Amino acid sequence: MKVLIVGSGGREHAIAWSVAKSPKVDKIYCAPGNAGISEYAECVDISAMEFEKLADFAEQHKVDLTIIGMDDPLVGGIVDVFEERGLKVFGPRKNAAILEGSKAFSKDLMKKYNIPTAAYENFDNAEEALAYLRTQAGFPIVLKADGLALGKGVLICNTLEEAEAGVQQIMEDKKFGSAGNTMVVEEFMTGREVSVLSFVDGKTIKTMTSAQDHKRAQDGDQGLNTGGMGTFSPSPFYTKEVDEFCRKYIYQPTVDAMAEEGRPFKGIIFFGLMLTEDGPKVLEYNARFGDPEAQVVLPRMKNDIVEVMEACVDGTLDQIDLQFEENAAVCVVLASEGYPVQYEKGIPIYGLENFKDKEGFYCFHAGTKLQDNQIVTNGGRVLGVTAKGADLKEARKNAYEAVKWIDFSNKYMRHDIGKAIDEVE
Ligand code: AMP
Ligand code: GLY
C-alpha cells in the first residue's frame, strides 16, 4: 500500500512511525511533514489546507489511504474533497468534524443527548453575554471561543471584570478571529484531566489506552496554555469504574448521537475528560489524535494502525481487537525558550543520533527542518522525547534521562511531566 499522511507535527511523526511498522505498507508520503518524518516518509511540499492539490497528488501517486492528522483540514472539509474524488481517506467529514470545530455545537449535542458536561450558555452577541455574566454569582467562570483557536481560545476568568475583558477579547477584538463569532460561557469544573482517544467507524467505538497532558508552559502548571508540554500513559486516575461510566454515558452515546444527527463520525474522537466529584464530564471533543497524546499512546499500541484505520473507513471496526502493551510511556516536549509567545528558530539540534536503535526510546519531531544538511529548530514545540518503562515511574525516569541526549541552545522543557504519578503510591 501507499499511504499519505497530512500534517507536520509530533503527532504526525508518531502516526508515520506507526504506519511504517505496518507490513501492508511499502511507501509513505507526508504533506508537508518535517525533518524527523522524512526518515520514514517522502515529504511533499503541499500545505495541509490545499485540499485539491493533495487530492491531485493522491490520485497521481495512486495513494491507497490518506490519513489526516490535523484539525484544520478536517474541520475545513478535506475528507469530503477526497471522498468526492473516490479517494480512500481516514478522518471525519466536515459535518462530523464540527464536533471539534464548534464548541457551541458540541455543547448543544451533549445537552440534547444527556452526555455529562459542564453547564453552559451559548452567545453570538457580546451584549447578551455580558448581561448574562452580570447575573452570575459563581466565579471562576470559563469563556470559550466557539471555533478552532490553536488551543488558546479558552479563558478562565476569576472575577466579573476578567470575564468582561474576556468577552471584549473574544467577541469584540476578535483575538481568535472568526472563532469568536460565537462564544460559550461555561461552569468552571475542578478535577483531574484525562485524555481518551478512540477509533470510530460511524457506529462502533474502540477506545485506546488513557493519557494525561500538561497544557501549561511552566512547572507546577504555571504560565500560559500551550499545545501541550508533555504526556503520560496510562493515567492511573482513569480507573476501571471511570472507564465503565464513560463507556455507558459518554463514548457510545456520543457516537450514537452523531449518527442520529445525520453526521456519522468516522476517524478519531478524542475525549477531553475531567474527573469531577460528580463523576467524569466532557471538557471538549477533538476530531483527531492529541498532540502529544499520540506520542505516548501509539508506541504502546499492539495493532497494525493501518488495519484499524481501514476498518474505520470500511465500517468493520467491530471485528478489531484493539490491544495495548501492559507498560507505560512518558513524553517530555523539548520546546524553544519563550514558547508559546516568542522564540527564535533555525537553531542547530545535536544528539538526535542517540535515539538510533534504542528500544523503547523515541524522538518525535514537532518543529524541525533540514537546513544545509543540519537539522534545526523550526517551531515552538521542537521535539517530543518519549520513553517506555515497565510502569509510569520507570517511563518517567527513562524519558528524563533521554532528554539529556539532545541539545540545542534555547532548549526548554518542564521538569514535572508525570509528577502526579507520585500521588498514587
Ligand atoms: P479545552 O480546549 O476545552 O480543552 O480547554 C483547554 C483547557 O482549559 C482544558 O484542558 C482545561 O484545563 C481548561 N478548561 C476548559 N474548560 C474548563 C472548565 N469548564 N472548567 C475548568 N477548566 C476548564
Ligand atoms: N494535547 C491536546 C490536544 O492535542 O488538543
Side-chain angles (χ1 to χ4, degrees):
M1 278 177 75
K2 291 183 181 175
V3 172
L4 167 65
I5 300 167
V6 176
S8 61
R11 167 184 48 213
E12 285 75 24
H13 191 173
I15 294 171
W17 170 82
S18 214
V19 168
K21 285 196 308 177
S22 170
K24 301 176 87 161
V25 173
D26 41 37
K27 176 79 187 172
I28 308 174
Y29 299 100
C30 189
N34 66 34
I37 293 172
S38 65
E39 195 182 322
Y40 315 99
E42 181 178 332
C43 292
V44 184
D45 191 18
I46 306 176
S47 105
M49 296 306 286
E50 292 178 290
F51 303 166
E52 295 293 346
K53 270 197 188 172
L54 288 166
D56 289 343
F57 181 89
E59 229 166 54
Q60 284 156 12
H61 292 80
K62 302 198 167 32
V63 167
D64 299 290
L65 176 68
T66 299
I67 301 166
I68 315 299
M70 299 167 71
D71 43 3
D72 289 290
L74 288 169
V75 170
I78 189 171
V79 169
D80 306 61
V81 170
F82 272 65
E83 283 185 351
E84 275 157 25
R85 293 175 58 167
L87 296 163
K88 194 164 185 174
V89 55
F90 177 80
R93 291 181 190 150
K94 186 175 183 171
N95 75 351
I98 191 175
L99 194 60
E100 171 165 6
S102 166
K103 292 191 194 283
F105 169 87
S106 71
K107 295 298 289 189
D108 286 346
L109 185 88
M110 287 186 267
K111 186 191 257 176
K112 182 170 172 189
Y113 292 92
N114 291 315
I115 296 166
T117 189
Y120 76 101
E121 293 286 340
N122 294 337
F123 296 94
D124 51 21
N125 166 310
E127 279 312 308
E128 285 169 23
L130 287 168
Y132 171 79
L133 284 164
R134 289 180 186 127
T135 66
Q136 294 299 300
F139 285 89
I141 202 158
V142 184
L143 308 186
K144 297 185 172 183
D146 175 54
L148 296 180
L150 298 167
K152 292 175 190 146
V154 175
L155 304 180
I156 295 174
C157 305
N158 290 305
T159 62
L160 177 60
E161 290 67 39
E162 277 182 38
E164 286 172 342
V167 174
Q168 176 74 32
Q169 281 180 19
I170 294 176
M171 301 199 85
E172 307 272 20
D173 303 345
K174 301 277 186 216
K175 188 171 170 191
F176 310 108
S178 60
N181 290 349
T182 298
M183 191 184 75
V184 180
V185 178
E186 190 176 273
E187 166 202 11
F188 177 77
M189 302 189 287
T190 51
R192 188 71 66 182
E193 284 185 43
V194 183
S195 303
V196 175
L197 316 182
S198 64
F199 289 100
V200 184
D201 74 353
K203 46 188 196 300
T204 300
I205 177 164
K206 298 266 163 136
T207 52
M208 298 177 228
T209 181
S210 62
Q212 186 178 322
D213 191 10
H214 299 65
K215 288 215 168 85
R216 301 293 203 92
Q218 293 162 22
D219 285 5
D221 290 330
Q222 301 295 309
L224 295 173
N225 259 324
T226 70
M229 293 298 294
T231 38
F232 59 85
S233 171
S235 161
F237 309 102
Y238 189 79
T239 59
K240 199 158 167 282
E241 291 69 34
V242 171
D243 184 59
E244 274 167 16
F245 179 93
C246 294
R247 278 177 199 284
K248 193 161 168 199
Y249 297 106
I250 297 177
Y251 304 149
Q252 191 67 50
T254 300
V255 174
D256 294 345
M258 290 298 282
E260 180 71 27
E261 293 292 308
R263 300 168 181 275
F265 193 105
K266 287 187 177 194
I268 304 288
I269 300 182
F270 164 154
F271 298 86
L273 303 171
M274 190 171 269
L275 310 181
T276 76
E277 274 195 343
D278 303 328
K281 293 189 183 181
V282 177
L283 273 172
E284 64 160 350
Y285 293 115
N286 295 311
R288 34 106 193 143
F289 279 100
D291 187 348
E293 280 87 347
Q295 291 90 313
V296 284
V297 168
L298 291 180
R300 299 185 54 229
M301 190 166 97
K302 291 187 187 171
N303 303 68
D304 176 340
I305 193 173
V306 174
E307 215 168 81
V308 182
M309 288 179 164
E310 286 193 294
C312 290
V313 178
D314 298 340
T316 55
L317 188 60
D318 58 333
Q319 288 162 32
I320 297 281
D321 179 18
L322 201 59
Q323 290 191 349
F324 288 82
E325 294 169 0
E326 293 284 330
N327 54 11
V330 169
C331 173
V332 178
V333 169
L334 301 183
S336 306
E337 177 93 55
Y339 172 71
V341 185
Q342 226 187 359
Y343 45 84
E344 253 185 272
K345 293 198 256 187
I347 295 175
I349 305 171
Y350 303 103
L352 292 163
E353 67 285 357
N354 291 319
F355 286 82
K356 218 168 174 54
D357 304 322
K358 289 253 182 31
E359 180 77 19
F361 291 87
Y362 313 86
C363 186
F364 296 116
H365 293 223
T368 64
K369 70 171 183 190
L370 196 61
Q371 190 174 287
D372 305 328
N373 279 328
Q374 164 72 48
I375 294 181
V376 300
T377 65
N378 191 38
R381 292 192 292 179
V382 178
L383 300 165
V385 171
T386 296
K388 294 203 277 199
D391 56 18
L392 285 162
K393 279 214 154 133
E394 190 181 288
R396 180 170 53 155
K397 194 171 137 276
N398 290 343
Y400 275 107
E401 193 53 42
V403 291
K404 295 182 199 156
W405 304 343
I406 297 283
D407 201 21
F408 51 97
S409 65
N410 62 344
K411 169 174 145 186
Y412 173 81
M413 67 182 156
R414 275 182 63 160
H415 298 87
D416 61 349
I417 302 303
K419 190 155 185 277
I421 299 160
D422 298 336
E423 293 168 34
V424 282
E425 285 297 65

